[in-house]
Amino acid sequence: MSSVVEQTADRPVTPARERRRPAAVLQGVALALGLVLMIGGFALIAVDYRPYNIPTASMHPTLQVGDTVLARKTDGGAVGRGDVVVFRDQAWGGELMVKRVVAVGGDTVATSGDNRRLTVNGQPVDEPYLATQGRQGESFSVTVPQGRLFLLGDNRVGSLDSRTHLEADGGTVPADAVEARVEATLKPFGRTGLLDRSTAFDAFTGPKASQPGPLEPAAYATVAGAALILVTSAVGGVAGLARRLRRGRSS
């Protein structure tokens, strides 16, 4: 009896089984790589980013009512002129708001001339992201205290922003009121995409708009990992079915 068991356990490896071994190893490696990419990319997004809903048209056309955006967690010390930020200031009602940073501590921000064009430290700012060019409201001039930010909506004729709070600290908010920096629109899916980095303040000295975070490579890694898992699983399933069909015909 023992010899029969030994012969059954030590069956010679057929050429077909020998050929399947490298394929099985490659399939396992591909699945593992896909899992690492998908889980790693998704985890990075989940840890670094938070979704926010846009309830008003104050940031139109950059952001629209009903948009869901992804914003990277940060603080006011890491943002610059041109960044679109999520913040909460009790002096503004304590609600989460989304505006664009146009001036930082030490800047003098103003509007002047017939068209009320924005100037920072006396230098006009070309703002291609505005909903409308030209007159943007009443004239003002504010020197931003250190550690604070001056924030405006891109829809200057329909935004309650620093201009409407000039009586309190010149309309500025504490830099540490910033919770996140908006980097992408998530929904609706027709508007899904990265937010363009503003170059409007690149000619100015001092902090400029931040470079994008790891959202794009993390998203690509997540999608690539999921695709690799699906393709590998499908190829493995088709190969297994083909082997079973061949065995059926040979028998």
Side-chain angles (χ1 to χ4, degrees):
M1 291 293 292
S2 60
S3 60
V4 174
V5 173
E6 289 172 359
Q7 289 175 4
T8 303
D10 297 334
R11 288 181 302 172
V13 178
T14 63
R17 289 179 63 193
E18 191 69 38
R19 287 195 300 270
R20 287 200 298 271
R21 282 182 177 177
V25 171
L26 288 175
Q27 183 180 10
V29 170
L31 287 173
L33 178 60
L35 281 171
V36 169
L37 288 172
M38 183 177 70
I39 295 174
F42 182 80
L44 182 58
I45 294 173
V47 169
D48 264 13
Y49 292 85
R50 290 290 181 273
Y52 296 90
N53 293 322
I54 305 300
T56 72
S58 67
M59 282 297 295
H60 178 83
T62 305
L63 303 174
Q64 299 182 13
V65 177
D67 282 355
T68 298
V69 300
L70 280 179
R72 189 183 187 191
K73 293 186 293 183
T74 187
D75 56 62
V79 301
R81 306 185 197 98
D83 282 332
V84 177
V85 298
V86 179
F87 68 98
R88 188 195 306 269
D89 186 12
Q90 294 305 318
W92 290 28
E95 299 294 329
L96 277 176
M97 304 186 76
V98 179
K99 305 292 180 189
R100 188 182 296 273
V101 178
V102 298
V104 299
D107 287 342
T108 296
V109 56
T111 56
S112 60
D114 292 338
N115 63 359
R116 303 291 191 269
R117 187 175 183 182
L118 186 75
T119 64
V120 175
N121 301 327
Q123 183 174 343
V125 184
D126 182 17
E127 299 182 278
Y129 44 73
L130 293 184
T132 57
Q133 302 293 329
R135 189 177 179 88
Q136 301 174 13
E138 297 302 319
S139 296
F140 66 88
S141 180
V142 173
T143 298
V144 182
Q146 292 296 333
R148 301 183 72 87
L149 305 169
F150 199 88
L151 302 152
L152 297 177
D154 289 356
N155 182 11
R156 298 288 162 79
V157 297
S159 174
L160 299 178
D161 47 39
S162 288
R163 298 168 300 168
T164 60
H165 298 275
L166 293 174
E167 72 286 350
D169 296 304
T172 63
V173 302
D176 59 14
V178 172
E179 296 187 5
R181 183 180 67 249
V182 178
E183 290 195 4
T185 302
L186 184 61
K187 293 190 300 183
F189 294 116
R191 286 176 40 76
T192 300
L194 295 176
L195 202 67
D196 291 335
R197 175 189 175 275
S198 173
T199 60
F201 299 88
D202 282 0
F204 292 71
T205 59
K208 301 173 178 58
S210 306
Q211 294 296 329
L215 179 60
E216 185 174 22
Y220 280 133
T222 303
V223 173
L228 184 58
I229 291 172
L230 289 174
V231 170
T232 303
S233 299
V235 170
V238 170
L241 177 61
R243 288 194 298 269
R244 289 193 293 271
L245 290 175
R246 285 197 300 269
R247 285 199 297 268
R249 286 198 299 268
S250 61
S251 61

